[in-house]
Amino acid sequence: MKATGIVRRIDDLGRIVIPKEIRRTLHIRQTDPLEIFTAQNGEIILKKYSPIGELGDMARQITDALAQTSGLTACVCDRDRIIAASGKYKKDLLGQEITVELRQLISNRTGVTAQNTDKNFVIPVSTLSAKHFVGEVIFPILAEGDTAGAVLLLSPESIICTDGDVKLTSAAALILGRQLES
């Protein structure tokens, strides 16, 4: 654990303000849920809660099915990290922090299909992804009117994403979104 040197007081209602610098560094938005843990030595630990993380097994099954069906690399991410991955670059991507560009795309609720061959801009997924992928299909996971993450299908140079890949990715995002709502 790293000390920040910041001390805050609890108000009459039991609230404490998390400093803006810490919220910015950890990508905590105004409506983000936080989990509260306590340690035996009296520490209170706040952890950013990931609803997609709760669906880890289902996300892994979906990425396995997408990768097998398409022959591409499939990922599911929350708004911070890639939580499930299958396919050739699974080990390179799993657990990686997502890029600012992908985080913005998810926040904008925008789906994207891009190929370098079409002169479209391919959004970098993580610092590693720009080296491996020239095509991608990305659909945000929407649950209860908010974005929870995204489903990604990533293509190496030799394979181009098809209309079928777009439909598969869209369906996977819808399934995960509905699962979060139930």
Side-chain angles (χ1 to χ4, degrees), residues 94-110:
L94 193 57
Q96 291 287 319
E97 186 173 343
I98 65 172
T99 61
V100 173
E101 295 92 343
L102 180 55
R103 192 174 285 119
Q104 185 65 43
L105 182 89
I106 293 168
S107 294
N108 290 342
R109 303 165 185 245
T110 308

Side-chain angles (χ1 to χ4, degrees), residues 50-57 60 78 83 180:
S50 170
I52 295 290
E54 296 292 315
L55 298 178
D57 288 337
R60 278 186 288 285
D78 61 14
I83 61 159
L180 286 171

